[in-house]
Amino acid sequence: MSETTAAPTRRPDRWLVLAVICLAQLVVILDNTILNVALPSLTRELGATTAQTQWAVGAYSLAQAGLLIAAGGLADRYGRKKVQLIGLALFGIGSFGAALAGDPGQLIAARAGMGVGGSLLLATSLAIVVRTFDQDEQPKAIGVWTAIASLGVALGPVIGGVLLAHFWWGSVFLVNLPVAVLGLIAVARLVPESKDPRGERPDLLGAVLSTAGMVGLVYAIIQGPGAGWTAPRTLTAGGLGLLLLLAFLFWERRIEHPLLDLGFFRNARFRGAISGGVLVSFGMGGSLFLLTQHLQFVLGYDPLAAGLRTAPMALTVVALNLTGVGMRLTMKLKPPFAIALGLTLLAAGLAAIAEFGHGGSYPGILLGLVLIGAGAACAQPAMAGSIMSSIPPEKAGIGSGLMGTLSELGNSLGVAVLGAVLAAGFANALPAGLPSSAGRSLPDALAAAGPAAAHQVRSAFADNLTDSQLIGAVAVLAGGLLAAWLLSRAGAAQPAAPAPTSGPSEQEAAQAG
C-alpha cells in the first residue's frame, strides 16, 4: 500500500521545501504584527479613529475569513502551488497599495486586498507541509512551521519599530515587497505541485455561498462595536450572513462533491481542536490588540521599544520549537493534555499581563509573555496535528482553509468584542463634561480633557484595558478545557483514511510539479 512506502520515497529536498513554505507564511505574519505596532502612528498621522484602526485590522481578517474555505477547495482542485503563487502576488500588490494610502479608507481597502492574498497563502501553507512529509516527520515539520510563524510575531514589532523610528508609517507595508518577490521565486522553483487527483468538479455555488456568508457575518462582528449591535446595517449584514451560511450547509449536504465535507465534524478530534482554536484566537487576537495600545498609550513606550518588549513571547515559541523541546513534550503527552496544558499557560500569561501590567510593571508583562510563548509552543503543534490528521490527505487544502477560517473568525470576534468592551468602559469612565466623541480613542480623550484631567483619563483607559484583557484570558482557558474534553472523547480514534488512489496519484502530481 502507498502508506507503507512513504519513508523510502521521501523527497530529498523536503526540508528546503519547508523553508520556502515558511517564508511565504512569514510574510503574512510579519504584516499582522507590524500593523499592530503602527496603529498608534496611524491614529495620529492619518487621523484614524479607534473604529478605523479596528477596521484596518478587521478588513484583512474579513477578506481572509470569507475566502479561506473557497481558497482551500481551489487549492485541492487546481493545485496548492498555483494558489500559493497567486496569493504571494496579490499580497505584494496589496502591500504596495497600502503603503501609498492617503486616508484611512484607502488603507482599509488595500488591507482587504492583502487579505485576499493572505487567504490563499494560509489555505495552502500547512496543506503543502503535511503533503510533503510523512506521518513520522510531520510533528517535527509542523513544529518548525509553528516556530517560524512565531518568529514573524517576534520580528514584526521590532522591524516595525525600527521603520517607524526612521521612516513614515507606509514603510511597514513596503517591507513586505522583497519578501513577497523572494517567495514567488522560491515557490516557483522549489515547491512541488500537489492536488486532489480525483478530478472532482469545482463547487462554485458552495464557494460563493461560503464566501458571501462569512463576509456578512464577520462584517457584522466588526461593525457592531462602532455602529451598534442593533443598528440596521449590523443586523442586516449578520442576518444575511447567517442565512447564506445555512444555505451553504444545506447545499453541501445535497451535492456529490461538496466544497466542505460536513463529515469532518463527526470526528471528535477535529471538533475538539477546531472549537479550542476559535476561543484561543478570540482571546489572543483581542488581547494582543489591546497589549500594543497598553505599551504605547499607557506605559509610554515608543513603537520600537514596544516592539522589543513584545518579542519575548514569540522568541519563547521559537526557542522551544526549534530546539525540539516543544515537540518532545507534545509527543510525550496525549493531544488532550498537551492542548489543555498549553492553553492553561496561555490564559495564565494573559492574566499576568492584565494584572501586573496595570501598575506599569514590565517584569510582570514579561512573565506573561513568556508564559504565552510556552503555552503556544505546547498547544499549537498538537492542535494543528489533531486537525490535519483527522481529515483525508487529499483534502489537506480544505482542512487547512477551514482551520484558518475559524481562526480568523475568532480573531475578528476578539478584536471586535474586547475592543467594544474597552471602548464602552472607557467612555463611561471619562470625567464629566467631555464630549461623547472623546471616548473614541485615548488621544482624543486626552486632547479634550486637557492636562488637569490627563491622569484620570489614563487611569480610566488602563482600568478598562485590564478588564478587557481578563476576558480574553477567560476565553483562552475555556477554549483549552473545551478542546481537551472533546479530544478526550475522541479516545484512540484513527485518522481518516485516504482514498485508495490518493497516495500514488499525489506522488505523480508532485513529481510532475
Side-chain angles (χ1 to χ4, degrees), residues 29-38 150-165 172 292 295-296 302-314:
I29 306 299
L30 276 174
D31 181 76
N32 276 330
T33 53
I34 284 178
L35 182 63
N36 284 338
V37 173
S150 299
L151 182 63
V153 177
L155 290 177
V158 176
I159 294 174
V162 170
L163 291 172
L164 291 171
V172 303
T292 300
L295 290 170
Q296 296 191 47
D302 60 38
L304 176 58
L308 289 171
R309 282 166 175 79
T310 59
M313 175 188 66

Side-chain angles (χ1 to χ4, degrees), residues 280 284 329-330 333-350 370-383 476-477 479-481 484:
V280 170
M284 289 288 290
L329 178 61
T330 301
L333 296 175
K334 292 182 179 179
F337 296 107
I339 291 174
L341 173 62
L343 299 190
T344 299
L345 290 173
L346 272 168
L350 292 171
V370 171
L371 287 173
I372 290 172
C378 183
Q380 286 180 337
M383 194 175 295
V476 171
L477 181 60
L481 296 176

